[in-house]
Amino acid sequence: MLPLFRRIAAPLLGTILMFGSGAGWALEDRVVVMTSYPDELVQRYEQAFERANPGTDLQVVWKPSRDAAVELAKPDQGGVDVYWTPSLGSFPRLRDAGAFRPLAVDRAVLPGVVDGQFVSDRQGFFEAFEVAGYGLIVNPAALARDRLPQPATWRDLAATRWTGRLALPIAGQVGFSGALYDILLQAEGWEAGWALLGEAAADATLVGNGGQVSESVVNGEADVAVTVDFFARSAIANGHPVALVYPPRTAFLPAQVAIARAAPHPDAARAFVDFVLSAPGQALLFHPDIRRYPVRPDVYAQAPAGTVNPFRRIGAEPYAYDMETGLNRHGLIAALFDSLIAGRQDRLKTLWGAIHAAEAALAAQSTTNPDPERAALASRARTLAGFVPVAGADAGRLAPLFQDRRSNRNPEEQAAVRKDWSARIDAAHAEALDLARRALPTP
């Protein structure tokens, strides 16, 4: 846990001093904000908010999302006024549980949409505060040294034989992995996306810690990794010779802010939300200690040189990522990643190695002695190697079974589903390996 610059207990704090609401009214003497943001961000917002609102003290409760949900489920909501945190799935669940007050937002300055995708609550109970993008961290010099091309798209993860120089996060073990892989799966298509991941993973190093995914490129263990952008942006700012690549079809996902239904200091709560969404509050995200992307298009005129503007991305393709669909299936994606990739990586290396060998041999002889029968075997092997035991049309129906992997509410049913997956995956891979070996031209 990060150290707190100020930590307070969650129960109701002190006397409630309410002076009404609306312009011209004095604010209460405090606002209680619950967050999991790091100190370097929170401290800067505390100082700026208190300068803008003299007499109102910002008090912080640091809670991870699971503990925050417990507090906000209490009758008094733990005395919390504002929930402000980068926890993508928390806000819809808490909204549906009645934890928040509605917000009034000016959509002329806060569109609630980034890169064609909704990032704020369409029901109006929480609002995006900043966004993070998902893409690739690369080491251009190392790629040149290893004679590898610089990837530009998700498909490039499987188009190159990385021989261990690609790092992939293990879904379910790395916090951002569920969103990242769902972005890829929506961009490429469910079945094609899983086939891409399986082929890429055969040549990859799987990493179980979020920071270490990007760090593997920074320290030279890998040339490429998939990541959420603030890890890469921090490395670049610290002088490491790495670069950040956003595929044309990616997404920028939000951290959000909401006012608690039982907020004891509602006017100060509104003032805090107004501040973090104001032009000065949003511009503070450009600070060298923070480096995050605002959700107000108008503040990008103040952005440091070289800052990507997610509202005007060069090379972006039309792609409206469906965040709510993604949130519902992160657990399913983690379970499938275990079954398809993490638990079978050695077999994937053997399988995809055989397919690549057959394809290379067929390509070498195609101009002089084409062999359509062996080419058909290799093509069928590739299709079977990319088998996923859950069809895209069925993902939404099955997702609730794996929605909260940590609670494991249905262990017997989950075990039965995983057993079925395992048998079907093994059968598909065994057939694919046999076909790939038969596709090798006879010497």
Side-chain angles (χ1 to χ4, degrees), residues 287-347:
H287 191 280
D289 290 342
I290 300 174
R291 288 190 175 88
R292 306 206 181 206
Y293 289 128
V295 293
R296 286 182 64 123
D298 59 343
V299 302
Y300 281 88
Q302 307 172 48
T307 301
V308 170
N309 182 342
F311 293 95
R312 296 180 178 178
R313 271 202 311 133
I314 297 172
E317 295 179 4
Y319 169 53
Y321 174 69
D322 187 336
M323 187 169 62
E324 292 200 13
T325 292
L327 287 173
N328 291 331
R329 60 191 198 183
H330 286 183
L332 174 63
I333 288 170
L336 283 168
F337 193 95
D338 285 344
S339 294
L340 285 165
I341 295 170
R344 286 177 165 76
Q345 193 183 26
D346 287 344
R347 281 176 277 182

CSV table of all heavy atoms in Angstrom, one decimal, residues 287-347:
chain,number,residue,atom,x,y,z
A,287,HIS,N,1.0,18.0,-15.2
A,287,HIS,CA,2.1,18.2,-14.4
A,287,HIS,C,3.1,17.0,-14.5
A,287,HIS,O,2.7,15.9,-14.6
A,287,HIS,CB,1.7,18.3,-12.9
A,287,HIS,CG,2.8,18.8,-12.0
A,287,HIS,ND1,3.8,17.9,-11.5
A,287,HIS,CD2,3.0,20.0,-11.5
A,287,HIS,CE1,4.6,18.6,-10.8
A,287,HIS,NE2,4.2,19.9,-10.7
A,288,PRO,N,4.4,17.3,-14.5
A,288,PRO,CA,5.4,16.2,-14.7
A,288,PRO,C,5.3,15.1,-13.7
A,288,PRO,O,5.7,14.0,-14.0
A,288,PRO,CB,6.7,17.0,-14.6
A,288,PRO,CG,6.4,18.4,-14.9
A,288,PRO,CD,5.0,18.6,-14.5
A,289,ASP,N,4.8,15.4,-12.5
A,289,ASP,CA,4.6,14.3,-11.5
A,289,ASP,C,3.3,13.5,-11.7
A,289,ASP,O,3.1,12.5,-11.0
A,289,ASP,CB,4.5,14.9,-10.1
A,289,ASP,CG,5.9,15.5,-9.6
A,289,ASP,OD1,6.9,15.1,-10.3
A,289,ASP,OD2,5.9,16.3,-8.7
A,290,ILE,N,2.5,13.9,-12.7
A,290,ILE,CA,1.2,13.2,-12.9
A,290,ILE,C,1.1,12.6,-14.3
A,290,ILE,O,0.9,11.4,-14.4
A,290,ILE,CB,0.0,14.2,-12.6
A,290,ILE,CG1,0.1,14.7,-11.2
A,290,ILE,CG2,-1.3,13.5,-12.9
A,290,ILE,CD1,-1.0,15.7,-10.9
A,291,ARG,N,1.2,13.4,-15.3
A,291,ARG,CA,1.2,12.9,-16.7
A,291,ARG,C,0.1,12.0,-17.1
A,291,ARG,O,0.3,10.8,-17.4
A,291,ARG,CB,2.6,12.2,-17.0
A,291,ARG,CG,3.7,13.2,-17.1
A,291,ARG,CD,5.0,12.5,-17.6
A,291,ARG,NE,6.1,13.4,-17.8
A,291,ARG,CZ,7.0,13.8,-16.9
A,291,ARG,NH1,6.9,13.2,-15.7
A,291,ARG,NH2,7.9,14.6,-17.1
A,292,ARG,N,-1.1,12.6,-17.0
A,292,ARG,CA,-2.3,11.8,-17.4
A,292,ARG,C,-3.1,12.6,-18.4
A,292,ARG,O,-2.8,13.8,-18.6
A,292,ARG,CB,-3.1,11.4,-16.2
A,292,ARG,CG,-2.3,10.7,-15.2
A,292,ARG,CD,-3.0,9.7,-14.3
A,292,ARG,NE,-2.2,9.1,-13.3
A,292,ARG,CZ,-2.4,7.9,-12.8
A,292,ARG,NH1,-3.5,7.2,-13.1
A,292,ARG,NH2,-1.6,7.4,-11.9
A,293,TYR,N,-4.1,12.0,-19.1
A,293,TYR,CA,-4.8,12.7,-20.1
A,293,TYR,C,-6.1,13.3,-19.6
A,293,TYR,O,-6.9,12.5,-19.1
A,293,TYR,CB,-5.1,11.7,-21.3
A,293,TYR,CG,-3.9,11.3,-22.1
A,293,TYR,CD1,-3.6,9.9,-22.3
A,293,TYR,CD2,-3.0,12.2,-22.6
A,293,TYR,CE1,-2.5,9.5,-23.0
A,293,TYR,CE2,-1.9,11.8,-23.4
A,293,TYR,CZ,-1.7,10.4,-23.6
A,293,TYR,OH,-0.6,10.0,-24.3
A,294,PRO,N,-6.3,14.6,-19.8
A,294,PRO,CA,-7.6,15.2,-19.4
A,294,PRO,C,-8.7,14.7,-20.2
A,294,PRO,O,-8.6,14.2,-21.4
A,294,PRO,CB,-7.3,16.7,-19.6
A,294,PRO,CG,-5.8,16.8,-19.6
A,294,PRO,CD,-5.3,15.6,-20.2
A,295,VAL,N,-9.9,15.0,-19.7
A,295,VAL,CA,-11.2,14.7,-20.5
A,295,VAL,C,-11.8,15.9,-21.0
A,295,VAL,O,-12.9,15.8,-21.6
A,295,VAL,CB,-12.2,13.9,-19.6
A,295,VAL,CG1,-11.6,12.5,-19.3
A,295,VAL,CG2,-12.5,14.6,-18.3
A,296,ARG,N,-11.2,17.1,-20.9
A,296,ARG,CA,-11.7,18.3,-21.5
A,296,ARG,C,-10.8,18.6,-22.7
A,296,ARG,O,-9.6,18.9,-22.6
A,296,ARG,CB,-11.5,19.5,-20.5
A,296,ARG,CG,-12.5,19.5,-19.4
A,296,ARG,CD,-12.3,20.7,-18.5
A,296,ARG,NE,-12.5,22.0,-19.2
A,296,ARG,CZ,-13.4,22.9,-18.8
A,296,ARG,NH1,-14.1,22.7,-17.7
A,296,ARG,NH2,-13.5,24.0,-19.5
A,297,PRO,N,-11.4,18.6,-23.9
A,297,PRO,CA,-10.7,18.9,-25.1
A,297,PRO,C,-10.0,20.3,-25.1
A,297,PRO,O,-8.9,20.4,-25.6
A,297,PRO,CB,-11.7,18.8,-26.2
A,297,PRO,CG,-12.8,17.9,-25.7
A,297,PRO,CD,-12.8,18.2,-24.2
A,298,ASP,N,-10.6,21.3,-24.4
A,298,ASP,CA,-10.1,22.6,-24.5
A,298,ASP,C,-8.8,22.8,-23.8
A,298,ASP,O,-8.0,23.7,-24.1
A,298,ASP,CB,-11.1,23.6,-23.9
A,298,ASP,CG,-11.6,23.4,-22.5
A,298,ASP,OD1,-11.3,22.2,-22.0
A,298,ASP,OD2,-12.1,24.3,-21.9
A,299,VAL,N,-8.4,21.9,-22.8
A,299,VAL,CA,-7.2,22.1,-22.1
A,299,VAL,C,-5.9,21.6,-22.9
A,299,VAL,O,-4.8,21.9,-22.5
A,299,VAL,CB,-7.2,21.5,-20.7
A,299,VAL,CG1,-8.3,22.1,-19.9
A,299,VAL,CG2,-7.2,20.0,-20.7
A,300,TYR,N,-6.1,20.9,-24.0
A,300,TYR,CA,-5.0,20.4,-24.7
A,300,TYR,C,-4.2,21.5,-25.4
A,300,TYR,O,-3.0,21.2,-25.8
A,300,TYR,CB,-5.4,19.3,-25.7
A,300,TYR,CG,-5.7,18.0,-25.0
A,300,TYR,CD1,-6.9,17.7,-24.5
A,300,TYR,CD2,-4.6,17.1,-24.8
A,300,TYR,CE1,-7.1,16.5,-23.8
A,300,TYR,CE2,-4.8,15.9,-24.2
A,300,TYR,CZ,-6.1,15.6,-23.6
A,300,TYR,OH,-6.3,14.4,-23.0
A,301,ALA,N,-4.7,22.7,-25.4
A,301,ALA,CA,-3.9,23.8,-25.9
A,301,ALA,C,-2.8,24.1,-25.0
A,301,ALA,O,-1.8,24.7,-25.4
A,301,ALA,CB,-4.8,25.0,-26.1
A,302,GLN,N,-2.9,23.7,-23.7
A,302,GLN,CA,-1.8,23.9,-22.7
A,302,GLN,C,-0.9,22.7,-22.5
A,302,GLN,O,0.0,22.7,-21.7
A,302,GLN,CB,-2.5,24.2,-21.3
A,302,GLN,CG,-3.5,25.3,-21.3
A,302,GLN,CD,-4.2,25.4,-20.0
A,302,GLN,OE1,-3.6,25.3,-18.9
A,302,GLN,NE2,-5.6,25.5,-20.0
A,303,ALA,N,-1.1,21.6,-23.3
A,303,ALA,CA,-0.4,20.4,-23.2
A,303,ALA,C,1.1,20.6,-23.5
A,303,ALA,O,1.4,21.3,-24.4
A,303,ALA,CB,-1.0,19.3,-24.0
A,304,PRO,N,2.0,19.9,-22.8
A,304,PRO,CA,3.4,19.9,-23.2
A,304,PRO,C,3.6,19.4,-24.6
A,304,PRO,O,2.8,18.6,-25.1
A,304,PRO,CB,4.1,19.0,-22.1
A,304,PRO,CG,3.1,19.0,-21.0
A,304,PRO,CD,1.7,19.1,-21.6
A,305,ALA,N,4.7,19.8,-25.2
A,305,ALA,CA,5.0,19.4,-26.5
A,305,ALA,C,5.1,17.9,-26.6
A,305,ALA,O,5.7,17.2,-25.6
A,305,ALA,CB,6.3,20.0,-27.0
A,306,GLY,N,4.6,17.3,-27.6
A,306,GLY,CA,4.7,15.8,-27.8
A,306,GLY,C,3.5,15.1,-27.1
A,306,GLY,O,3.4,13.8,-27.3
A,307,THR,N,2.6,15.7,-26.4
A,307,THR,CA,1.5,15.1,-25.8
A,307,THR,C,0.5,14.6,-26.8
A,307,THR,O,0.1,15.3,-27.7
A,307,THR,CB,0.8,16.0,-24.8
A,307,THR,OG1,1.7,16.4,-23.8
A,307,THR,CG2,-0.4,15.3,-24.1
A,308,VAL,N,0.1,13.3,-26.7
A,308,VAL,CA,-0.9,12.8,-27.6
A,308,VAL,C,-2.3,13.4,-27.1
A,308,VAL,O,-2.6,13.4,-26.0
A,308,VAL,CB,-1.0,11.3,-27.5
A,308,VAL,CG1,-2.2,10.7,-28.2
A,308,VAL,CG2,0.3,10.7,-28.1
A,309,ASN,N,-3.1,13.8,-28.1
A,309,ASN,CA,-4.4,14.3,-27.8
A,309,ASN,C,-5.4,13.2,-28.2
A,309,ASN,O,-5.6,12.9,-29.4
A,309,ASN,CB,-4.7,15.6,-28.6
A,309,ASN,CG,-6.1,16.1,-28.3
A,309,ASN,OD1,-7.0,15.4,-27.7
A,309,ASN,ND2,-6.3,17.4,-28.6
A,310,PRO,N,-6.0,12.5,-27.2
A,310,PRO,CA,-6.8,11.3,-27.6
A,310,PRO,C,-8.1,11.8,-28.3
A,310,PRO,O,-8.8,10.9,-28.9
A,310,PRO,CB,-7.2,10.7,-26.2
A,310,PRO,CG,-6.9,11.8,-25.2
A,310,PRO,CD,-5.8,12.6,-25.8
A,311,PHE,N,-8.4,13.1,-28.3
A,311,PHE,CA,-9.6,13.5,-29.1
A,311,PHE,C,-9.2,13.8,-30.5
A,311,PHE,O,-10.1,13.9,-31.4
A,311,PHE,CB,-10.1,14.9,-28.5
A,311,PHE,CG,-10.7,14.7,-27.1
A,311,PHE,CD1,-9.9,14.9,-26.0
A,311,PHE,CD2,-12.0,14.4,-26.9
A,311,PHE,CE1,-10.4,14.8,-24.7
A,311,PHE,CE2,-12.5,14.2,-25.6
A,311,PHE,CZ,-11.7,14.5,-24.5
A,312,ARG,N,-7.9,13.8,-30.8
A,312,ARG,CA,-7.5,14.0,-32.2
A,312,ARG,C,-6.3,13.2,-32.5
A,312,ARG,O,-5.2,13.6,-32.9
A,312,ARG,CB,-7.1,15.5,-32.4
A,312,ARG,CG,-8.3,16.5,-32.2
A,312,ARG,CD,-7.8,17.9,-32.4
A,312,ARG,NE,-8.9,18.9,-32.3
A,312,ARG,CZ,-8.8,20.2,-32.4
A,312,ARG,NH1,-7.6,20.7,-32.7
A,312,ARG,NH2,-9.9,21.0,-32.3
A,313,ARG,N,-6.5,11.9,-32.5
A,313,ARG,CA,-5.3,11.0,-32.7
A,313,ARG,C,-5.1,10.8,-34.2
A,313,ARG,O,-5.9,10.5,-35.0
A,313,ARG,CB,-5.6,9.6,-32.1
A,313,ARG,CG,-5.2,9.4,-30.6
A,313,ARG,CD,-5.0,8.0,-30.3
A,313,ARG,NE,-6.2,7.1,-30.7
A,313,ARG,CZ,-6.0,6.0,-31.3
A,313,ARG,NH1,-4.8,5.5,-31.6
A,313,ARG,NH2,-7.1,5.2,-31.6
A,314,ILE,N,-3.8,11.0,-34.5
A,314,ILE,CA,-3.4,10.8,-35.9
A,314,ILE,C,-3.3,9.3,-36.2
A,314,ILE,O,-2.7,8.6,-35.4
A,314,ILE,CB,-2.0,11.5,-36.1
A,314,ILE,CG1,-2.1,13.0,-35.9
A,314,ILE,CG2,-1.5,11.2,-37.5
A,314,ILE,CD1,-0.8,13.7,-36.0
A,315,GLY,N,-3.9,8.9,-37.3
A,315,GLY,CA,-3.8,7.5,-37.7
A,315,GLY,C,-4.9,6.6,-37.0
A,315,GLY,O,-4.9,5.4,-37.2
A,316,ALA,N,-5.7,7.2,-36.2
A,316,ALA,CA,-6.7,6.4,-35.5
A,316,ALA,C,-7.8,5.9,-36.5
A,316,ALA,O,-8.1,6.6,-37.5
A,316,ALA,CB,-7.5,7.2,-34.4
A,317,GLU,N,-8.3,4.7,-36.3
A,317,GLU,CA,-9.3,4.2,-37.1
A,317,GLU,C,-10.7,4.3,-36.4
A,317,GLU,O,-10.7,4.2,-35.2
A,317,GLU,CB,-9.0,2.7,-37.5
A,317,GLU,CG,-7.8,2.5,-38.3
A,317,GLU,CD,-7.5,1.1,-38.6
A,317,GLU,OE1,-8.3,0.2,-38.2
A,317,GLU,OE2,-6.5,0.8,-39.2
A,318,PRO,N,-11.8,4.4,-37.2
A,318,PRO,CA,-13.1,4.4,-36.5
A,318,PRO,C,-13.3,3.1,-35.7
A,318,PRO,O,-13.2,2.0,-36.2
A,318,PRO,CB,-14.1,4.4,-37.7
A,318,PRO,CG,-13.3,5.0,-38.8
A,318,PRO,CD,-11.9,4.5,-38.6
A,319,TYR,N,-13.5,3.3,-34.4
A,319,TYR,CA,-13.6,2.1,-33.5
A,319,TYR,C,-14.2,2.6,-32.2
A,319,TYR,O,-13.5,3.3,-31.4
A,319,TYR,CB,-12.2,1.5,-33.3
A,319,TYR,CG,-12.1,0.5,-32.2
A,319,TYR,CD1,-13.0,-0.6,-32.1
A,319,TYR,CD2,-11.1,0.6,-31.2
A,319,TYR,CE1,-12.9,-1.5,-31.1
A,319,TYR,CE2,-11.0,-0.3,-30.2
A,319,TYR,CZ,-11.9,-1.4,-30.2
A,319,TYR,OH,-11.8,-2.3,-29.2
A,320,ALA,N,-15.4,2.3,-31.9
A,320,ALA,CA,-16.1,2.7,-30.7
A,320,ALA,C,-16.1,1.5,-29.7
A,320,ALA,O,-16.9,0.7,-29.8
A,320,ALA,CB,-17.5,3.2,-31.0
A,321,TYR,N,-15.1,1.5,-28.9
A,321,TYR,CA,-15.0,0.4,-27.9
A,321,TYR,C,-16.2,0.4,-26.9
A,321,TYR,O,-16.5,1.5,-26.4
A,321,TYR,CB,-13.6,0.6,-27.1
A,321,TYR,CG,-13.5,-0.4,-26.0
A,321,TYR,CD1,-13.3,-1.8,-26.3
A,321,TYR,CD2,-13.6,0.0,-24.7
A,321,TYR,CE1,-13.2,-2.7,-25.2
A,321,TYR,CE2,-13.5,-0.9,-23.6
A,321,TYR,CZ,-13.3,-2.2,-23.9
A,321,TYR,OH,-13.2,-3.1,-22.9
A,322,ASP,N,-16.7,-0.7,-26.7
A,322,ASP,CA,-17.9,-0.9,-25.8
A,322,ASP,C,-17.4,-1.2,-24.4
A,322,ASP,O,-17.1,-2.4,-24.1
A,322,ASP,CB,-18.8,-1.9,-26.3
A,322,ASP,CG,-20.1,-2.0,-25.6
A,322,ASP,OD1,-20.1,-1.6,-24.4
A,322,ASP,OD2,-21.1,-2.5,-26.1
A,323,MET,N,-17.3,-0.2,-23.6
A,323,MET,CA,-16.7,-0.4,-22.2
A,323,MET,C,-17.5,-1.2,-21.3
A,323,MET,O,-17.0,-2.1,-20.6
A,323,MET,CB,-16.4,1.0,-21.6
A,323,MET,CG,-15.7,0.9,-20.3
A,323,MET,SD,-15.1,2.6,-19.7
A,323,MET,CE,-16.7,3.4,-19.5
A,324,GLU,N,-18.8,-1.1,-21.4
A,324,GLU,CA,-19.7,-1.8,-20.5
A,324,GLU,C,-19.7,-3.3,-20.9
A,324,GLU,O,-19.7,-4.2,-20.0
A,324,GLU,CB,-21.1,-1.3,-20.5
A,324,GLU,CG,-21.2,0.1,-19.9
A,324,GLU,CD,-22.6,0.5,-19.5
A,324,GLU,OE1,-23.5,-0.4,-19.4
A,324,GLU,OE2,-22.9,1.6,-19.2
A,325,THR,N,-19.6,-3.6,-22.1
A,325,THR,CA,-19.5,-5.0,-22.5
A,325,THR,C,-18.2,-5.6,-22.0
A,325,THR,O,-18.1,-6.7,-21.4
A,325,THR,CB,-19.5,-5.2,-24.1
A,325,THR,OG1,-20.8,-4.9,-24.5
A,325,THR,CG2,-19.2,-6.6,-24.5
A,326,GLY,N,-17.1,-4.8,-22.1
A,326,GLY,CA,-15.8,-5.3,-21.6
A,326,GLY,C,-15.8,-5.5,-20.1
A,326,GLY,O,-15.2,-6.5,-19.7
A,327,LEU,N,-16.4,-4.6,-19.4
A,327,LEU,CA,-16.3,-4.7,-17.9
A,327,LEU,C,-17.0,-6.0,-17.5
A,327,LEU,O,-16.5,-6.6,-16.5
A,327,LEU,CB,-17.1,-3.5,-17.3
A,327,LEU,CG,-16.3,-2.2,-17.3
A,327,LEU,CD1,-17.3,-1.1,-16.8
A,327,LEU,CD2,-15.1,-2.2,-16.5
A,328,ASN,N,-18.0,-6.4,-18.1
A,328,ASN,CA,-18.7,-7.7,-17.7
A,328,ASN,C,-18.0,-8.9,-18.0
A,328,ASN,O,-18.3,-10.0,-17.5
A,328,ASN,CB,-20.1,-7.7,-18.4
A,328,ASN,CG,-21.0,-6.6,-17.9
A,328,ASN,OD1,-20.9,-6.2,-16.8
A,328,ASN,ND2,-21.9,-6.2,-18.8
A,329,ARG,N,-16.9,-8.9,-18.9
A,329,ARG,CA,-16.3,-10.1,-19.2
A,329,ARG,C,-14.8,-10.2,-18.9
A,329,ARG,O,-14.1,-11.1,-19.4
A,329,ARG,CB,-16.5,-10.4,-20.7
A,329,ARG,CG,-16.0,-9.4,-21.7
A,329,ARG,CD,-16.5,-9.7,-23.1
A,329,ARG,NE,-15.8,-9.0,-24.1
A,329,ARG,CZ,-16.1,-9.1,-25.4
A,329,ARG,NH1,-17.2,-9.8,-25.8
A,329,ARG,NH2,-15.3,-8.5,-26.3
A,330,HIS,N,-14.3,-9.3,-18.0
A,330,HIS,CA,-12.9,-9.4,-17.6
A,330,HIS,C,-12.6,-10.7,-16.9
A,330,HIS,O,-11.5,-11.3,-17.2
A,330,HIS,CB,-12.5,-8.2,-16.7
A,330,HIS,CG,-12.4,-6.9,-17.4
A,330,HIS,ND1,-12.0,-5.7,-16.8
A,330,HIS,CD2,-12.6,-6.6,-18.7
A,330,HIS,CE1,-12.0,-4.8,-17.6
A,330,HIS,NE2,-12.4,-5.2,-18.8
A,331,GLY,N,-13.5,-11.2,-16.1
A,331,GLY,CA,-13.3,-12.5,-15.4
A,331,GLY,C,-13.2,-13.6,-16.4
A,331,GLY,O,-12.4,-14.6,-16.3
A,332,LEU,N,-14.1,-13.6,-17.4
A,332,LEU,CA,-14.2,-14.6,-18.4
A,332,LEU,C,-12.9,-14.6,-19.2
A,332,LEU,O,-12.3,-15.7,-19.5
A,332,LEU,CB,-15.4,-14.4,-19.3
A,332,LEU,CG,-15.4,-15.3,-20.6
A,332,LEU,CD1,-15.6,-16.8,-20.1
A,332,LEU,CD2,-16.6,-14.9,-21.5
A,333,ILE,N,-12.4,-13.4,-19.6
A,333,ILE,CA,-11.1,-13.3,-20.3
A,333,ILE,C,-10.0,-13.9,-19.5
A,333,ILE,O,-9.1,-14.6,-20.0
A,333,ILE,CB,-10.9,-11.8,-20.7
A,333,ILE,CG1,-11.8,-11.4,-21.8
A,333,ILE,CG2,-9.4,-11.6,-21.1
A,333,ILE,CD1,-11.9,-9.9,-22.1
A,334,ALA,N,-10.0,-13.6,-18.2
A,334,ALA,CA,-8.9,-14.2,-17.4
A,334,ALA,C,-8.9,-15.7,-17.3
A,334,ALA,O,-7.9,-16.4,-17.4
A,334,ALA,CB,-9.0,-13.6,-15.9
A,335,ALA,N,-10.2,-16.2,-17.2
A,335,ALA,CA,-10.3,-17.7,-17.2
A,335,ALA,C,-9.9,-18.3,-18.5
A,335,ALA,O,-9.2,-19.4,-18.5
A,335,ALA,CB,-11.7,-18.1,-16.8
A,336,LEU,N,-10.3,-17.7,-19.6
A,336,LEU,CA,-9.9,-18.2,-20.9
A,336,LEU,C,-8.4,-18.1,-21.1
A,336,LEU,O,-7.7,-19.0,-21.7
A,336,LEU,CB,-10.6,-17.5,-22.0
A,336,LEU,CG,-12.1,-18.0,-22.2
A,336,LEU,CD1,-12.8,-17.0,-23.1
A,336,LEU,CD2,-12.2,-19.4,-22.8
A,337,PHE,N,-7.8,-17.0,-20.7
A,337,PHE,CA,-6.3,-16.8,-20.8
A,337,PHE,C,-5.6,-17.9,-20.1
A,337,PHE,O,-4.6,-18.5,-20.6
A,337,PHE,CB,-5.9,-15.5,-20.3
A,337,PHE,CG,-4.5,-15.0,-20.7
A,337,PHE,CD1,-4.3,-14.2,-21.8
A,337,PHE,CD2,-3.4,-15.4,-19.9
A,337,PHE,CE1,-3.0,-13.9,-22.1
A,337,PHE,CE2,-2.2,-15.0,-20.2
A,337,PHE,CZ,-1.9,-14.3,-21.3
A,338,ASP,N,-6.1,-18.3,-18.9
A,338,ASP,CA,-5.5,-19.4,-18.1
A,338,ASP,C,-5.6,-20.7,-18.9
A,338,ASP,O,-4.6,-21.4,-19.0
A,338,ASP,CB,-6.3,-19.6,-16.8
A,338,ASP,CG,-5.9,-18.6,-15.8
A,338,ASP,OD1,-4.9,-17.8,-15.9
A,338,ASP,OD2,-6.7,-18.5,-14.8
A,339,SER,N,-6.7,-21.0,-19.5
A,339,SER,CA,-6.9,-22.3,-20.2
A,339,SER,C,-6.2,-22.3,-21.5
A,339,SER,O,-5.7,-23.4,-21.9
A,339,SER,CB,-8.4,-22.5,-20.4
A,339,SER,OG,-9.1,-22.7,-19.1
A,340,LEU,N,-6.3,-21.2,-22.3
A,340,LEU,CA,-5.7,-21.2,-23.6
A,340,LEU,C,-4.2,-20.9,-23.7
A,340,LEU,O,-3.6,-21.5,-24.6
A,340,LEU,CB,-6.5,-20.2,-24.5
A,340,LEU,CG,-7.9,-20.5,-24.9
A,340,LEU,CD1,-8.6,-19.2,-25.4
A,340,LEU,CD2,-7.8,-21.5,-26.0
A,341,ILE,N,-3.7,-20.1,-22.8
A,341,ILE,CA,-2.4,-19.6,-22.9
A,341,ILE,C,-1.5,-19.9,-21.7
A,341,ILE,O,-0.5,-20.6,-21.8
A,341,ILE,CB,-2.4,-18.1,-23.2
A,341,ILE,CG1,-3.1,-17.8,-24.5
A,341,ILE,CG2,-1.1,-17.5,-23.1
A,341,ILE,CD1,-3.5,-16.4,-24.8
A,342,ALA,N,-1.8,-19.4,-20.5
A,342,ALA,CA,-0.9,-19.5,-19.4
A,342,ALA,C,-0.7,-21.0,-19.0
A,342,ALA,O,0.4,-21.4,-18.7
A,342,ALA,CB,-1.5,-18.7,-18.2
A,343,GLY,N,-1.7,-21.8,-19.1
A,343,GLY,CA,-1.6,-23.2,-18.7
A,343,GLY,C,-1.1,-24.1,-19.8
A,343,GLY,O,-0.9,-25.3,-19.6
A,344,ARG,N,-0.9,-23.5,-21.0
A,344,ARG,CA,-0.5,-24.4,-22.2
A,344,ARG,C,0.6,-23.7,-23.0
A,344,ARG,O,0.8,-24.0,-24.1
A,344,ARG,CB,-1.7,-24.6,-23.1
A,344,ARG,CG,-2.7,-25.6,-22.5
A,344,ARG,CD,-3.9,-25.7,-23.4
A,344,ARG,NE,-4.7,-26.9,-23.1
A,344,ARG,CZ,-5.5,-26.9,-22.0
A,344,ARG,NH1,-5.7,-25.9,-21.2
A,344,ARG,NH2,-6.2,-28.0,-21.7
A,345,GLN,N,1.4,-22.8,-22.4
A,345,GLN,CA,2.4,-22.1,-23.2
A,345,GLN,C,3.4,-23.0,-23.9
A,345,GLN,O,3.8,-22.8,-25.0
A,345,GLN,CB,3.1,-21.0,-22.4
A,345,GLN,CG,3.8,-20.0,-23.3
A,345,GLN,CD,4.6,-19.0,-22.6
A,345,GLN,OE1,5.0,-19.2,-21.5
A,345,GLN,NE2,4.8,-17.9,-23.3
A,346,ASP,N,3.9,-24.0,-23.1
A,346,ASP,CA,4.9,-24.9,-23.7
A,346,ASP,C,4.3,-25.6,-24.9
A,346,ASP,O,5.0,-25.8,-26.0
A,346,ASP,CB,5.4,-25.9,-22.7
A,346,ASP,CG,6.3,-25.3,-21.6
A,346,ASP,OD1,6.8,-24.2,-21.9
A,346,ASP,OD2,6.5,-25.9,-20.6
A,347,ARG,N,3.1,-26.1,-24.8
A,347,ARG,CA,2.5,-26.8,-25.9
A,347,ARG,C,2.2,-25.8,-27.1
A,347,ARG,O,2.3,-26.2,-28.3
A,347,ARG,CB,1.2,-27.5,-25.5
A,347,ARG,CG,1.4,-28.8,-24.8
A,347,ARG,CD,0.2,-29.4,-24.2
A,347,ARG,NE,-0.2,-28.9,-22.9
A,347,ARG,CZ,-1.2,-29.2,-22.2
A,347,ARG,NH1,-2.0,-30.2,-22.7
A,347,ARG,NH2,-1.5,-28.7,-21.0
